[in-house]
Structures are given as structure tokens and as C-alpha cells.
Amino acid sequence: MLKYDLGKNESADWLIAETDFDIDHQGKCEAIFCQGNGYLGQRAALEEKYVGQTRDLLVTGTFNRFDAQEVCELPNLPDVTNLDLRLDGAYFAMDRGRTEQYSRVMDLRGGEVTRSLIWTRPDGKRFRLVFERFVSLADEHLLGIRAAVTPLDGDCEATLDSGIDGRVTCTGSQHFHEGDKRMIDGRFLRMVSVTTQSAVACCLHTAFRYFLDGQEAEPRLWPVIDRRYLGVKAVFRVPRGQTLTIEKLTCVTTARDLQYDGRPDAAEAAAADGLAAIRSAWEKGYGVLAKESRAAWAAFWEKADIRVGSRNPFDQLLVRFALYHLNIMVKKDDPRVGIGAKGLTGEGYKGHSFWDTEIFILPYFILTDPKAARSLLAYRYKGLYGARKKAKENGFEGAMYPWEAAWIDDGEVTPLWGSADIVTGKPIPILTGMIEQHITADVAFGVQLYYAVTGDQDFMDRNGYEILIDTARFWASRFTWDEARGAYVILDVIGPDEYKEHVDNNAYTNYMAVNNMKLALQAMDDLDRRGGETRERLNAQFDFAACRRDIAAVMEKAYLPKPGADGIVPQFDGYFDLKAIDLTPYKTAGQVGAIYRDYNNEQICTFQVHKQADTLVLMLLMDDLFPKDVKVRNYYFYEARTLHDSSLSKSTHCVLAADLGEDATAYRFFEGCGGIDLGPNMGTSDMGVHTASMGGIWQCAVYGFGGVRVVGHELHISPRLPQAWDRLSFPLVWRGQPLRVTVEGRRAAVENRGASPVEVILKGEKTVLAAGETAER
């Protein structure tokens, strides 16, 4: 059971607590309590072993393919969280004996997790146990665990078995060779394992320190080496009332780390650097290292915190929960890696990146951390190799981005088969990798938004223009001529609403594709006007005259679905021929995908029912595409037919409802976003948190209630707080200048905390803010 500290004290709105242990529902807290720093993610499986645990240590970029029949995935590195304790010979586990005063708390302020309890053995002897963990934000390679054991009813012999355990898999797939295992200087454990296909050397160094009532202790100690395991056995005598403290520190390095990129000795360097790092960490100790990490987190919160004044204090906690996970889901300085759909919190979606990044997560980084945003877009630039390969393999020109992306040269990595069909019993083919193609236009949209917000010409010259032009070349070859319509059309796709397959002229896809082509034409015009080396390089690569001719010819006659007499934009051709069914049982089921218990994909495709209404996503992204009355009609029409079975859906509906003045509805959808990972359903996050939902929560607060929009190259701010909120304050970065927006009731203020003037449209009025100036409306 989850509990939130929402009291009026210094810890209010920062703490998430698990108040009792349920062996059948371990996955949720393992995911939402996950600790990380963008380089690595340590899932919060408990230190002692239980059936049903998932003990994940994931490091960004280390993708491996188990065999030729499977797609690549992030491998689960050897486990270092294991602490097997025997107290007077009895193995400590909470499903044995009796557990009282149990609490496990995630403190978002410093990214630390603390578990405390009193455990009574079956023979009645009691012990107090406290476990603490951190993953360092100050040094991305370091993580630590500290355990304290106090016997309450007499002296105790305590035995610890712990180390580096390579006997882990990714849902059954073993990604590492046996590995090299050794103990160095009688103190430092080293395991170097190499992935089976990608040949990435992963180096783990672990060391222990022991204390009895604060004084360093030397136990009886034996090394333990077994297949895929290296550890120690330590035995202590602990007097009644005294506390045995065990510190376990680990350093993780891999040959794929950014600092070794291109080095032939990467594996050797990673091992040597890891050893030096664990020596230094051991000298400092857990307390100093945890303090350094807390200081790094404090610096993050000082810059990034969003402050909410709400009648429901959970709202503040929810926003901070989202910010916490946004901060740990990506290595912000490595352009070779993206963001997985579960970040580094679990094995769901194999660590692959989707369109989620550009549409739901990237806006957060663009408007708050442009350097990180540039790195994420550079990842897409480096992925042009795979995009061009996919286009060529499918008979198209240009760059066709993979639906699922992993390492920068892996290309398309979407699995071919999914779960069983409820009707036929056969595996369901996964078509998204073949015909969900809007991802290509989504990447271009990300480039467009980044340039509008930052004005980063260097990025456009190095990466952005090439992405825009080559993706537009794909769309020019993807459209086909429809003689009856006298227009170019896009046939046989899946839009964002994945409950509809093999559709023609999906509104979202067509409009986004045309936008992509328009951006490419503007890019070539801009390059012609500016001239220079970038223009010469790209003109030699693409031949602007031919490229402009081909793209313009298609764009000018591209078919774009228009609102009908009732104002509704058809989601795709033939949409209104679909059957309307009663969706009440599925809207109220409290379970994602409940409709699949009754129907299969083929049947669902014949109904007016949506996983998410992609036409509404279009209206959110292109704010000025349709007049307000059309938005209103489409919002109500599609919302009634949407099950919100996608974790991406509710944030879109929240922002649009806020736009339309539907205060109560917008707030209800905001609460729904919180329920995805922090709600009472204990099975929602077993495979990891929903990273796009974290970005969606930020969009609810900043786009929806903060009223922020980027229209063209202008920043618009028109706040509209829900009735439950009386205050909202959030940071933005516009054209390199940090801003702080504060909304109190109907009044909004924008403070320019930068060194240069900026222009904003505040509540419809254009305002130029000098450095240090605040405007209020």
C-alpha cells in the first residue's frame, strides 16, 4: 500500500511511502522507487530475495541481441543489491516470522530510499533493521547500500552473504558471457562481463565496509566464487542493543561509456577507471558519497522545481515525482542514446525509444534544459543511418525513422510478434514497425520546436537541416497519387491511435507529413539565403533544385482531411462508417486494454473506439491549425470514443480541456495522469514507469494550467489555473534566458532571470523583458 506524506512540515510533498510489504505486488514500488542518474538505473528490488522480484541494473546504450530471433534490448547487468542476512542462523525475510513498524520511503529531494522495520524470528527473537540506498547524481558511476541490524533480545551472530551476482536475465534471456571474476587487494570485488552479441564489456567493482556501533569492524571473512557469482561471506558477533552497519559501494563502467567512444582499449580503460573509482569511493564511505549526491539533487531542485498551491497537496507531490523521473531517464550529455519508454526503471519495451520522446518528453527538455534537448535530437541525427536503411528496404527515398530505436546504428528494432489473439489464439503480429510511420514527421516536429525555442543555428547547420530535408524526401516518396481525388494520399498506416490498423489518410499522419515537407522547403530557402559551407555540403548531398521540385509538387496537392459540416475532422478515410458501441464497461474497467478481453484487433478496427484520439494530438501540436469551434467539437466527439488505454492520452485531453475552459474536466485528467504510476492499482508499473506520462504531467501543469504555447517563433503564456489551485510557479528557458513564471489566481508574472532581453506574449500582449525585469498581467 502506498502512502503520501502530505503533512504541513518540511518534508511535505516530497515523500512516497510503502506502508506494508505485499509479496504479490513488488513490481510497482520497484519501478516508482527506482534510483538513477540517466547513465544507470537501479530498480528498487529489496535486498533480500523473494519470488516475483525483478532485480534490474540497466545502463544506457548497452544494447545486446540474445540471438537472431530476437530484437536487441538493454541487458540486465549483474545484481549488486543482494544482501543475504542470517541472524543466529535464521535467514531474514519478511515472509518468515513477523514484521512490524514497516516503512519504505522514497525521498524525492535527494533520490534516497530508506526501509525500516522490526523483524521477529519464528522463535520470538526481535531485530531492528534499516536499509538505505542512493544512486549518485554527483558521480554517475556510483551507487551504494547501507544496512543496519540491531538485536533487541540478546547477542546475535550475524552472517552476510553478498557480492556481484551475474545470474540474472531479461525475462529469461541471458545477455552476458561468464565474465572475469577476481578479488583485488583482498577487498575489492571485480566482475567484467561481455555482452554476447554487441561485445560490450561491463565492469562492476564492489567493496564493503563494516561498523559496530560506529567503530570500524573486521569480521571473519571468506571470498566466494561460483558460476557467474563473486562475493564474500562475513560473520559478526553483535551484542544486544548494539548496531552492525554494513556499507556496500559499487562502481559501474562499460566500454560503451561516452569517454571511451572510439578507443580500441575501451574495455581495459573502463576496468582500470572503475577500480580507481571504487578505491576512492571506499575511502570516502557511504555517508560522504550520499551527501555529495544530495547536494547535486539540491542544485537540480533549485533550478527545476515547479511549485503548486493546491487544495489537494498530492498535486505538488505528483509534479515533483514527474520531475524526479524526467531527471533520471536520460544521460543528458550523450548524443548516442535516447529515452526508453520505461526509462531505466524496468525491462518494458526493451529500453527502446519511440515517438513518445519527441511529442511528450522532448518539450520539457527544450523549454527547461536545452543542452539535454540538443543531445536528444543529436541522437536522432546519428540515427539517420538506420532511418535511411529502413527507407531503402521499404522502397522509399530519404530517411524513414524506425518506430522503435535502440543503439544508433541498429535501425528498426520493433518485435514482429506480440501476445495471443483472444479469438484465434495465435500470436498477434506487431505492425507498428512497418506501418506506424508518423514517427518520421514527429522527429522533424521536435527539430522545429527546438529551433523555435532556442534559435540554435549551430545545431541546425550541423544536424537539423539535414534531418528536415531527408525526412521530407521520405514523405515525398511515401505519398501516392489518387486520380479520383486529384490529390496525393497516404495509404495503409497506423496513426497514434493503435486500435486502428491499415487505415488510409490518417489525419494526424497527413498533416504532420505536410508540415515536415513545409519545414524542409523553408530549410532549403534559408540555406540558399545564407549560403556558406552548410549550404554547399547539403546541396551536394541532396540537389536542392530537384529536392525542392519533388517535395513541393507533392505538398501542394497533398490530401488533408477537412472538418465536415458538423465540424468533425475524420480520423481517417471511412471513419464514419465504423460501428458505434457502448464503451461504458471499458471506460469504467479500471484496467488498461480491457476491451481485448472481448474483442481482437480485427474487430476493434471496425468500431468507433480509440486507444487515444490522435486527431486531438494533432490539434494540440498545431495550435493554430483549426479555429476554436472546430477544436471544441472534435474534443467532445473523440473524447466520448476514447478509452485512454494509452498512458499518453490523458495529458493531451487535460491540456485541450484547459484550453477550452473545461476546468473540472482538465483537472480530472490531470489526476488521471497521476493515477497511471502513483495510483492505487498495484500492477500498473511492474515493467517500469511510463516515461511519456512523466512528460505528460509536466505538459498538464505548464501547457495546460500554465498556458504555455510556442506558436511559430513566439512564446505565448496565458495561464488558466483549475479551481483546486491558487498558485503555480515554474521555470522556462527561452532563447537561452532562464525565466520564472508565477501565477496567483488570475494574475500572472514572468521574471527574466537571464542576462539578455526576451520577448513574450503574456495574456495576448507582446512584452519585451529586460534582464532582471518582471512583467505582470
Side-chain angles (χ1 to χ4, degrees):
M1 178 179 178
L2 291 177
K3 180 181 178 182
Y4 310 108
D5 181 355
L6 304 175
K8 300 301 181 182
N9 56 57
E10 63 178 12
S11 298
D13 317 322
W14 291 102
L15 306 182
I16 305 170
E18 181 187 47
T19 56
D20 56 70
F21 171 67
D22 184 348
I23 196 170
D24 294 324
H25 295 105
Q26 299 178 72
K28 188 181 184 93
C29 287
E30 289 178 355
I32 67 176
F33 286 13
C34 179
Q35 297 165 292
N37 50 36
Y39 168 74
L40 63 83
Q42 178 63 72
R43 192 171 163 98
L46 297 175
E47 289 78 7
E48 65 276 9
K49 294 183 178 67
Y50 299 98
V51 173
Q53 282 181 329
T54 304
R55 306 177 78 88
D56 284 338
L57 173 59
L58 305 175
V59 173
T60 188
T62 56
F63 290 99
N64 186 69
R65 189 186 302 267
F66 173 68
D67 64 24
Q69 304 304 312
E70 296 187 9
V71 298
C72 67
E73 63 183 325
L74 281 182
N76 187 8
L77 270 65
D79 174 45
V80 293
T81 59
N82 61 90
L83 293 177
D84 290 346
L85 288 169
R86 284 177 171 79
L87 305 176
D88 281 338
Y91 179 72
F92 164 64
M94 293 184 295
D95 58 349
R96 308 177 188 185
R98 186 172 73 253
T99 298
E100 300 171 287
Q101 300 179 29
Y102 176 87
S103 174
R104 181 162 57 145
V105 179
M106 160 63 80
D107 189 337
L108 299 173
R109 289 170 297 187
E112 295 175 286
V113 175
T114 302
R115 177 171 58 127
S116 61
L117 62 134
I118 291 178
W119 181 62
T120 303
R121 293 185 354 166
D123 65 0
K125 199 169 183 179
R126 296 175 304 137
F127 302 84
R128 178 180 293 110
L129 297 103
V130 178
F131 299 87
E132 301 170 272
R133 289 189 188 185
F134 76 94
V135 168
S136 180
L137 198 64
D139 184 335
E140 64 187 16
H141 299 282
L142 289 175
L143 57 153
I145 294 176
R146 182 162 63 188
V149 181
T150 307
L152 301 179
D153 297 318
D155 297 353
C156 168
E157 182 179 84
T159 302
L160 168 71
D161 287 286
S162 184
I164 306 172
D165 190 350
R167 299 167 297 192
V168 295
T169 68
C170 287
T171 55
S173 293
Q174 170 58 257
H175 286 283
F176 289 98
H177 294 293
E178 170 71 12
D180 174 62
K181 306 179 291 292
R182 64 182 66 181
M183 177 177 280
I184 301 170
D185 298 340
R187 174 171 291 148
F188 304 107
L189 307 180
R190 169 190 282 177
M191 181 179 288
V192 179
S193 305
V194 180
T195 54
T196 56
Q197 171 264 329
S198 55
V200 178
C202 297
C203 313
L204 280 77
H205 290 84
T206 290
F208 296 86
R209 291 183 76 171
Y210 313 100
F211 301 86
L212 189 60
D213 263 13
Q215 299 299 312
E216 194 134 12
E218 291 293 336
R220 288 178 289 157
L221 193 67
W222 298 270
V224 179
I225 300 179
D226 204 343
R227 187 177 185 184
R228 299 184 184 273
Y229 180 82
L230 174 64
V232 297
K233 178 186 289 289
V235 180
F236 309 83
R237 192 69 189 171
V238 186
R240 175 189 175 188
Q242 294 192 21
T243 299
L244 167 68
T245 301
I246 301 162
E247 295 183 359
K248 182 179 184 180
L249 302 173
T250 298
C251 177
V252 181
T253 54
T254 84
R256 195 163 266 182
D257 292 356
L258 184 60
Q259 62 265 39
Y260 310 124
D261 193 29
R263 288 180 55 171
D265 65 339
E268 294 81 4
D273 289 349
L275 179 58
I278 196 64
R279 289 185 190 276
S280 174
W282 187 88
E283 290 291 341
K284 288 184 176 181
Y286 183 100
V288 172
L289 296 171
K291 183 177 180 181
E292 291 174 350
S293 181
R294 282 194 295 270
W297 273 106
F300 165 77
W301 288 114
E302 177 66 25
K303 176 182 176 182
D305 192 22
I306 294 176
R307 293 183 282 276
V308 175
S310 173
R311 292 198 297 269
N312 181 1
F314 177 76
D315 297 344
Q316 176 68 85
L317 178 69
L318 173 59
V319 171
R320 285 177 173 152
F321 174 76
L323 293 172
Y324 168 82
H325 278 283
L326 285 164
N327 192 43
I328 69 170
M329 67 176 60
V330 62
K331 185 163 169 28
K332 301 173 185 177
D333 63 349
D334 191 343
R336 307 168 306 157
V337 297
I339 298 175
K342 299 294 186 181
L344 299 170
T345 67
E347 299 171 22
Y349 296 107
K350 304 181 184 298
H352 297 172
S353 298
F354 294 72
W355 76 302
D356 308 18
T357 298
E358 279 69 30
I359 303 305
F360 295 92
I361 302 172
L362 185 62
Y364 163 76
F365 288 106
I366 290 175
L367 281 160
T368 64
D369 190 348
K371 289 183 180 179
R374 176 168 174 159
S375 182
L376 286 167
L377 287 169
Y379 167 72
R380 291 300 194 185
Y381 177 76
K382 291 178 179 293
L384 278 173
Y385 168 82
R388 288 164 176 156
K389 178 183 177 184
K390 183 177 179 181
K392 185 176 182 180
E393 289 173 347
N394 285 272
F396 302 118
E397 301 295 323
M400 179 186 185
Y401 272 98
W403 178 246
E404 297 186 28
W407 189 240
I408 48 179
D409 57 6
D410 281 339
E412 181 63 72
V413 292
T414 304
L416 296 178
W417 300 99
S419 57
D421 187 308
I422 191 68
V423 175
T424 68
K426 297 179 180 179
I428 299 173
I430 299 176
L431 301 177
T432 52
M434 293 174 277
I435 62 174
E436 190 157 1
Q437 298 164 359
H438 61 82
I439 174 66
T440 298
D442 300 331
V443 171
F445 181 85
V447 173
Q448 173 190 10
L449 181 62
Y450 175 79
Y451 188 39
V453 172
T454 67
D456 186 350
Q457 191 61 54
D458 180 70
F459 168 78
M460 296 303 294
D461 289 339
R462 291 176 182 270
N463 303 151
Y465 288 133
E466 188 172 346
I467 293 174
L468 294 179
I469 295 169
D470 222 12
T471 51
R473 291 178 65 236
F474 160 71
W475 289 117
S477 67
R478 179 63 178 86
F479 275 89
T480 57
W481 181 254
D482 183 332
E483 190 65 40
R485 273 198 170 107
Y488 285 99
V489 298
I490 300 179
L491 306 178
D492 193 23
V493 297
I494 298 173
D497 171 24
E498 293 169 356
Y499 282 176
K500 297 292 173 286
E501 299 174 343
H502 297 297
V503 301
D504 299 335
N505 293 310
N506 169 254
Y508 179 93
T509 303
N510 285 29
Y511 276 99
M512 290 291 281
V514 168
N515 180 65
N516 192 163
M517 292 191 289
K518 181 177 71 173
L519 293 172
L521 294 178
Q522 292 172 350
M524 288 183 283
D525 289 346
D526 188 36
L527 286 165
D528 284 343
R529 184 170 56 255
R530 294 172 58 240
E533 184 277 331
T534 301
R535 193 267 178 198
E536 295 306 312
R537 173 174 59 87
L538 293 180
N539 184 49
Q541 181 176 350
F542 295 120
D543 183 356
F544 282 5
C547 196
R548 184 181 281 110
R549 180 187 65 243
D550 294 344
I551 293 172
V554 174
M555 191 185 80
E556 290 169 4
K557 293 189 177 181
Y559 173 69
L560 296 173
K562 302 294 184 183
D566 57 0
I568 306 302
V569 178
Q571 187 169 305
F572 49 81
D573 286 355
Y575 175 83
F576 298 112
D577 296 329
L578 301 181
K579 180 182 178 182
I581 64 171
D582 180 13
L583 301 180
T584 304
Y586 311 115
K587 276 182 169 282
T588 59
Q591 178 184 348
V592 171
I595 194 170
Y596 279 106
R597 294 180 300 194
D598 298 322
Y599 304 103
N600 65 6
N601 279 9
E602 185 176 346
Q603 293 169 317
I604 292 171
C605 283
T606 67
F607 302 147
Q608 287 187 6
V609 57
H610 311 290
K611 184 177 183 180
Q612 66 180 48
D614 51 8
T615 307
L616 297 187
V617 183
L618 173 67
M619 293 180 180
L620 173 59
L621 298 183
M622 298 188 184
D623 190 67
D624 54 353
L625 189 62
F626 298 106
K628 184 173 182 178
D629 67 309
V630 171
K631 291 183 185 179
V632 170
R633 294 187 182 192
N634 281 269
Y635 175 82
Y636 288 114
F637 179 86
Y638 283 113
E639 202 289 314
R641 293 159 175 79
T642 301
L643 297 182
H644 304 294
D645 282 346
S646 166
S647 63
L648 316 176
S649 185
K650 292 181 179 180
S651 62
T652 296
H653 285 256
C654 170
V655 176
L656 290 176
D659 283 355
L660 302 176
E662 291 286 355
D663 178 89
T665 301
Y667 185 67
R668 175 169 56 84
F669 278 121
F670 170 75
E671 291 182 308
C673 289
I676 293 171
D677 287 299
L678 284 186
N681 187 331
M682 294 303 289
T684 58
S685 309
D686 286 1
M687 297 300 289
V689 303
H690 300 77
T691 56
S693 181
M694 301 300 105
I697 291 167
W698 178 85
Q699 289 192 18
C700 290
V702 174
Y703 279 8
F705 305 140
V708 170
R709 285 294 189 287
V710 178
V711 181
H713 287 258
E714 293 180 332
L715 174 63
H716 291 246
I717 305 173
S718 295
R720 40 192 166 260
L721 298 185
Q723 290 184 2
W725 293 13
D726 56 29
R727 192 174 190 273
L728 171 66
S729 176
F730 57 89
L732 295 175
V733 177
W734 180 258
R735 302 296 169 84
Q737 306 307 305
L739 312 178
R740 171 63 69 166
V741 180
T742 302
V743 186
E744 293 183 329
R746 296 183 179 181
R747 302 295 293 174
V750 181
E751 178 188 0
N752 180 1
R753 296 183 172 182
S756 301
V758 294
E759 182 179 281
V760 300
I761 314 297
L762 181 58
K763 289 191 170 183
E765 295 185 29
K766 185 174 291 187
T767 303
V768 177
L769 288 172
E773 187 178 1
T774 299
E776 185 175 339
R777 296 282 185 273

